[in-house]
Amino acid sequence: MLIAPYQHPLAFIAPLETELDPPATRATVPQSEARHETPAQPQPVALRLRNVEKRFGDNRVLRGIDLDLEAGQFLAIVGKSGCGKSTLLRLLTGLDTPTDGHIGFLDGDGREMTSNARIVFQEPRLLPWFDAADNVAVGLGPTTSKVVARQLAEAALGDVQLAEKAGEWPSKLSGGQRQRVSLARALVSRPGLLALDEPLGALDALTRISMQKLLSRVWRELGATAVLVTHDVAEAVHLADRVIVLEEGRITLDLPVPQPHPRRHGDPELAKLEGRLLAAILGEA
Amino acid sequence: MTTFETFAGTPKTAIQKRPVRLPSLSRDAVLPYLLPALLVVVWQVGSATGWISDRIMPSPTAVLRAFWETASSGALANDIAVSGARALAGLLVGGSIGFLLGLANGVSKLSEQLTDTTLQMLRTIPHLALIPLVILWFGIGEEAKLFLTSLGVLFPIYLNTYHGVRNVDRDLLEMGRIYGMSGWTLFRKVIFPGALPSIFVGLRYGLGIMWLTLIVSESIAASSGIGHMANNAREFMMTDVVVLALLIYAGLGKLADVVARALERRALAWNPVYQTQKEV
């Protein structure tokens, strides 16, 4: 209700502003599902890749990738270093164009649209001269007015449970907190596609687990399509609806993970899938 | 940072609460000035006992007297104002040219190719070596001093701005572009703040050169200013005024540095280096 008078294009985020309950209670499922169903929610993007190739000189990094990803799905791409997974992510976010083949970003009616992906990098890449909230506001782009941007940014920080750190310099935050700010920066514009480039790779094991929980919840609340690149098979299985294994630029395994969200660490079914994936990745080595 | 407040203004109760920290704080305030104070004392004693001749070095009290005389006649304030205005004008002109060139060459490959080699060649010419030429061009008027000071300030600021812009974190630049920044926004939010620490190094270095150039050009040809005051005093063998002029230069130089540091601390408050550093 605070931002309603501005009639801002992002005014659909108004429900965020009216939630005055403390961050901890935001995690509860009913509330997130309520947000999931708001009609103003941005449309998740579906992806269609046909015979996608990427070459750098003579080096064929990706060869003949065919992939269909439903809107709202969580896809994890795993593979060894240098298998082309980060390149594939860059193509999916529209940061790079394929040498050959076609990538389609489809809206709800199956029409092609331009990618509105947001990316979370392995390093937080926060601007050290901006406080946490202003860093998050970067995710809104330069067209949003300052006051609105600050409000939306603080709300997004609340979503990652960092509301109280809004005015803090990045240098004063811990590694996990910085990565949460960077996640809030990606979320604040409510993108249709969330790209995660090993976002938890630099964190310690315990921070990693709590960040996985956070990522899973935030993704469900956002309702966006998500693509995660990781070399941690357990993480892929815990978060994703579907895991693909990439080997020398080709998809060698496409494994659905049917377990419902939210998932528990240590679920035996997930452990089985994890075993299969590991065997697929390491077996051919 | 808060040294002085604590030293002078803390009520006794507060001192008693923190008996361990106080000695180190006051020590920090006193230590930097210990050596200058000791020098003055030795100097005064030396002069009073006749160990240092008055013609070589006047006593501190003589310098103080000279200060009082020139200050009360208003000549000193006038000379300081004239010199200060010259220094500032040179800094402004040279600094902005250096800053703009540094930015342009840091951001644009074309601009760098066009001008960097030329600038690097010009930089190696000692700018004070241009004095004969400058006098031929401009005579001994204000233009000559402005030209020399600007030229002296230009290069350190150019080099450090250029270096700062070129060394802005590539990852942050990529992030900025991915998040839709371009042109002015990218400059304002990423490039300029990223280059600022380096620009400040250039500024402080430039300030030093600014005073140096001004002193030299004022002693060669001027009818006002501190340099003229010193040169004039030399002709009348007034060593006390000459020494006074030197001390004033030292004071002005320190003042400029203090202002630059304060600006730096304010502008770079985000930087962990400036969050813990004490004033030295």
Side-chain angles (χ1 to χ4, degrees), chain A residues 90 95 118-121 123-130 138-139 141-142 146 169 171-172 182 185-186, chain B residues 168 170-172 174-176 178-182 185 188-191 193-195 269-272 275:
Chain A
R90 289 178 71 86
L95 290 180
R118 282 299 191 219
I119 187 162
V120 179
F121 308 92
E123 331 78 45
R125 299 201 190 179
L126 303 179
L127 298 172
W129 39 86
F130 282 176
V138 165
K146 262 191 177 165
W169 301 119
S171 58
K172 299 265 181 178
S182 128
R185 179 177 64 193
Chain B
V168 171
R170 301 280 121 188
D171 283 352
L172 290 184
E174 193 195 31
M175 185 281 298
I178 290 171
Y179 276 90
M181 291 184 204
S182 59
T185 318
R188 193 166 52 86
K189 292 192 172 172
V190 183
I191 298 174
W270 52 267
N271 193 327
Q275 286 161 8

Side-chain angles (χ1 to χ4, degrees), chain B residues 13-263:
Chain B
T13 48
I15 293 175
Q16 282 159 353
K17 271 182 191 168
R18 293 188 302 169
V20 189
R21 276 194 71 190
L22 190 73
S24 71
L25 279 176
S26 55
R27 213 184 62 160
D28 282 356
V30 168
L31 271 187
Y33 298 100
L34 197 63
L35 193 62
L38 198 71
L39 276 175
V40 170
V41 169
V42 170
W43 175 13
Q44 176 66 46
V45 170
S47 296
T49 55
W51 177 52
I52 303 172
S53 153
D54 258 7
R55 301 187 70 179
I56 292 168
M57 195 73 174
S59 71
T61 44
V63 175
L64 266 180
R65 209 178 309 119
F67 171 76
W68 180 249
E69 278 161 13
T70 48
S72 54
S73 72
L76 184 65
N78 182 48
D79 282 334
I80 289 181
V82 168
S83 287
R86 281 175 188 151
L88 219 62
L91 178 69
L92 227 58
V93 174
S96 21
I97 295 173
F99 175 67
L100 290 176
L101 279 172
L103 284 185
N105 290 3
V107 172
S108 148
K109 184 84 189 147
L110 178 70
S111 169
E112 191 215 333
Q113 284 174 326
L114 280 174
T115 59
D116 187 57
T117 308
T118 314
L119 284 166
Q120 297 296 344
M121 276 158 61
L122 287 176
R123 182 172 72 89
T124 55
I125 304 174
H127 65 293
L128 294 176
L130 292 177
I131 286 176
L133 193 60
V134 167
I135 290 177
L136 286 176
W137 284 351
F138 300 109
I140 57 165
E142 290 303 315
E143 298 91 338
K145 288 179 261 303
L146 180 65
F147 180 84
L148 281 172
T149 329
S150 305
L151 199 65
V153 170
L154 193 155
F155 293 111
I157 293 195
Y158 163 73
L159 281 177
N160 284 286
T161 307
Y162 173 63
H163 174 265
V165 171
R166 288 303 292 268
N167 281 287
V168 171
D169 190 340
R170 301 280 121 188
D171 283 352
L172 290 184
L173 280 177
E174 193 195 31
M175 185 281 298
R177 292 209 180 91
I178 290 171
Y179 276 90
M181 291 184 204
S182 59
W184 174 240
T185 318
L186 190 68
F187 172 77
R188 193 166 52 86
K189 292 192 172 172
V190 183
I191 298 174
F192 181 68
L196 206 53
S198 182
I199 293 173
F200 269 113
V201 172
L203 176 66
R204 287 176 60 186
Y205 194 68
L207 285 176
I209 298 211
M210 172 187 87
W211 289 120
L212 174 86
T213 317
L214 194 68
I215 294 166
V216 173
S217 47
E218 276 188 350
S219 2
I220 287 167
S223 52
S224 57
I226 310 290
H228 167 256
M229 181 178 98
N231 223 32
N232 208 33
R234 177 185 55 89
E235 290 187 14
F236 297 100
M237 299 285 286
M238 294 156 71
T239 37
D240 49 352
V241 178
V242 175
V243 172
L244 175 67
L246 296 182
L247 289 179
I248 285 170
Y249 274 130
L252 287 175
K254 176 71 185 167
L255 180 71
D257 197 54
V258 164
V259 171
R261 264 173 193 252
L263 276 176

Side-chain angles (χ1 to χ4, degrees), chain A residues 243-267:
Chain A
V243 182
I244 59 174
V245 175
L246 217 56
E247 190 136 12
E248 289 175 356
R250 284 201 182 84
I251 298 177
T252 51
L253 181 66
D254 188 339
L255 188 72
V257 185
Q259 273 71 19
H261 298 274
R263 293 170 183 161
R264 282 157 46 93
H265 281 271
D267 182 329

Side-chain angles (χ1 to χ4, degrees), chain A residues 4-257:
Chain A
Y6 290 96
Q7 286 304 315
H8 189 268
L10 285 161
F12 57 78
I13 310 182
L16 266 181
E17 302 294 322
T18 55
E19 283 177 11
L20 294 170
D21 41 354
T25 60
R26 285 170 186 257
T28 55
V29 179
Q31 193 179 36
S32 57
E33 277 175 359
R35 198 187 292 174
H36 216 97
E37 285 158 16
T38 352
Q41 198 70 17
Q43 294 235 332
V45 180
L47 292 171
R48 185 169 60 202
L49 281 75
R50 289 292 173 267
N51 199 26
V52 167
E53 289 238 348
K54 182 70 186 176
R55 287 188 296 269
F56 295 104
D58 289 338
N59 187 12
R60 288 172 76 198
V61 179
L62 295 174
R63 329 167 172 218
I65 302 268
D66 286 308
L67 182 70
D68 284 283
L69 186 63
E70 277 174 41
Q73 254 198 343
F74 198 128
L75 172 76
I77 306 171
V78 296
K80 286 183 262 187
S81 303
C83 69
K85 52 190 195 298
S86 285
T87 309
L88 182 56
L89 189 77
R90 289 178 71 86
L91 295 181
L92 292 182
T93 50
L95 290 180
D96 219 339
T97 48
T99 322
D100 237 328
H102 178 75
I103 297 181
F105 302 95
L106 311 174
D107 65 12
D109 304 323
R111 281 183 304 237
E112 294 226 357
M113 53 183 280
T114 49
S115 167
N116 62 348
R118 282 299 191 219
I119 187 162
V120 179
F121 308 92
Q122 180 169 3
E123 331 78 45
R125 299 201 190 179
L126 303 179
L127 298 172
W129 39 86
F130 282 176
D131 67 16
D134 282 347
N135 264 296
V136 173
V138 165
L140 289 165
T143 48
T144 313
S145 91
K146 262 191 177 165
V147 185
V148 180
R150 185 85 191 178
Q151 284 172 3
L152 294 178
E154 281 172 6
L157 277 174
D159 284 354
V160 296
Q161 288 153 33
L162 274 182
E164 78 282 9
K165 299 284 185 190
E168 209 66 86
W169 301 119
S171 58
K172 299 265 181 178
L173 301 175
S174 72
Q177 287 173 335
R178 279 181 218 168
Q179 199 55 295
R180 268 144 77 192
V181 174
S182 128
L183 179 63
R185 179 177 64 193
L187 297 173
V188 69
S189 64
R190 310 270 126 183
L193 176 61
L194 185 61
L196 306 155
D197 191 357
E198 300 193 31
L200 313 181
L203 302 176
D204 65 86
L206 290 177
T207 313
R208 239 178 135 122
I209 290 177
S210 65
M211 280 293 283
Q212 285 171 4
K213 284 191 179 136
L214 179 74
L215 256 183
S216 174
R217 173 174 69 72
V218 153
W219 162 69
R220 278 177 283 129
E221 285 177 12
L222 184 66
T225 311
V227 180
L228 166 75
V229 160
T230 180
H231 48 237
D232 182 344
V233 173
E235 181 174 295
V237 168
H238 184 76
L239 289 171
D241 297 320
R242 181 177 167 196
V243 182
I244 59 174
V245 175
L246 217 56
E247 190 136 12
E248 289 175 356
R250 284 201 182 84
I251 298 177
T252 51
L253 181 66
D254 188 339
L255 188 72
V257 185

